[in-house]
Each structure stands twice: as C-alpha cells, then as structure tokens.
Amino acid sequence: MKMQKRSGNDYKKRGEWVELKFMAEAAARNLSTSKPYGDMENFDVVVGRPGKFVGVQVKSTSFRHSNGYLCNVSPRNHQAYAAGSFDFLAGYVVPENVWYIIPARLIQGKRSIMLYTDSSAAKYEQYREAWDLLREAVGVKEELSLPVEESAPPNRMEARMMGAFNFVRRQWDR
C-alpha cells in the first residue's frame, strides 16, 4: 500500500473536526463552550460561563509510537507555547476514542507528549477523561445526566453526525 503524503489542509480539517468533537463532548457534560472567531489565538475553545472562563487548546493524535501515541502540543511554528497561552490541553487519541484533559502547566515548554492508553502507570493517566477538572475550573457542579435509551434508534441528525465521525476516523486510520 502506497503511503500518501498529507497536506496542510488535511491537518487543518482534522483540527476543525476534533475541536467540534471536543465541544460536543463538553456539552454532553454540561460544560458551555464558545469558539473564538478566527484561528489566531493560542487556544481553540473557551469553556465556562461569565466570570469563570478557561481557554482550551485542542490537539489530536493517531501517531502510534512504541506502546503509546505521540501528541504534538506545539503551535504551527513548532515552538513550545508561552506560559499563560491557555489553561488546559484537551488531547484526543483518535484510534482509541480517548480524551486527556491536562492542565497547561504540565506541558509548558514541551513540543510533544506521549499518551499511553494501555498503561495505568503512564505520566498523564490521571488526566484521561478528566472532565471534572474543567467542571471544577469553571464552577459547574455536576455533569449533565442525559437520558439514553439503548434500544432507541438514532435520530437523523445523530446518524449523520456518527456517519461523518466514522468517515473521518477511517480516513485518518489509513
């Protein structure tokens, strides 16, 4: 199988997709989100309500390296982010469908980190699906409990969104 070189547009599309996925996941957890206009800020999404906002830098990876995933946590210029650029990193491991919510201070000065999805002793393991850190930072008391009926068929919008999600996932798993 011939490897295709990905263009900058491919990475931009995946970045937009993962930001939307983050916003949907946050909304399901009773966290309000906003997207800044343009893409010149050091954060991708704002989480919170008036008086309590945090900036979140959203990154994703599907690059398997030894027994983990290498996640680039630097901006486009490949330098480390400056202190205070954002409050949390939301790292998404695409093949595993796993989020890491990591305080920015822990990745400060780094250009990449390793996310190990199969090791409880990994450095960032305590931040796997740590949505409670965002809830605490913005003063949201509890996760929204959305009723889910296992036997109910998905509505048209859900079906279209899942179809789009699965399409993108297949494209990046090639």
Side-chain angles (χ1 to χ4, degrees):
M1 181 169 152
K2 185 178 176 188
M3 286 292 285
Q4 288 182 309
K5 186 174 179 179
R6 293 186 179 158
S7 72
N9 284 340
D10 291 339
Y11 291 109
K12 179 105 173 124
K13 284 180 184 178
R14 183 167 91 171
E16 291 169 351
W17 169 75
V18 80
E19 288 169 16
L20 289 170
K21 182 159 179 51
F22 171 81
M23 293 173 73
E25 294 281 344
R29 290 166 170 81
N30 199 27
L31 292 164
S32 297
T33 61
S34 295
K35 176 81 175 116
Y37 178 75
D39 60 0
M40 297 302 294
E41 295 296 335
N42 287 323
F43 51 88
D44 296 312
V45 178
V46 176
V47 176
R49 293 181 163 71
K52 292 249 183 169
F53 289 107
V54 293
V56 179
Q57 178 57 240
V58 180
K59 298 289 186 181
S60 67
T61 183
S62 58
F63 183 70
R64 185 89 171 153
H65 181 70
S66 63
N67 60 344
Y69 291 88
L70 184 65
C71 185
N72 177 5
V73 296
S74 63
R76 282 179 283 243
N77 66 7
H78 303 291
Q79 301 300 312
Y81 283 102
S85 296
F86 53 89
D87 302 299
F88 289 92
L89 172 82
Y92 182 60
V93 179
V94 177
E96 307 287 335
N97 191 25
V98 172
W99 285 97
Y100 289 81
I101 310 298
I102 304 171
R105 63 181 160 71
L106 299 178
I107 59 134
Q108 196 164 14
K110 297 182 190 304
R111 295 187 332 189
S112 62
I113 59 173
M114 286 297 295
L115 299 174
Y116 298 93
T117 58
D118 56 3
S119 171
S120 60
K123 181 174 184 176
Y124 300 104
E125 182 59 27
Q126 72 188 63
Y127 302 104
R128 181 196 298 234
E129 302 294 341
W131 296 92
D132 57 315
L133 294 177
L134 289 176
R135 279 195 298 279
E136 181 181 311
V138 300
V140 172
K141 300 290 185 223
E142 59 191 54
E143 191 169 321
L144 184 62
S145 161
L146 298 175
V148 178
E149 291 183 34
E150 295 297 324
S151 61
N155 64 36
R156 283 183 55 192
M157 181 59 87
E158 269 184 88
R160 289 179 65 197
M161 287 185 74
M162 284 309 295
F165 170 75
N166 290 329
F167 171 79
V168 171
R169 208 166 167 184
R170 283 191 305 273
Q171 296 303 308
W172 287 101
D173 286 343
R174 288 191 207 182

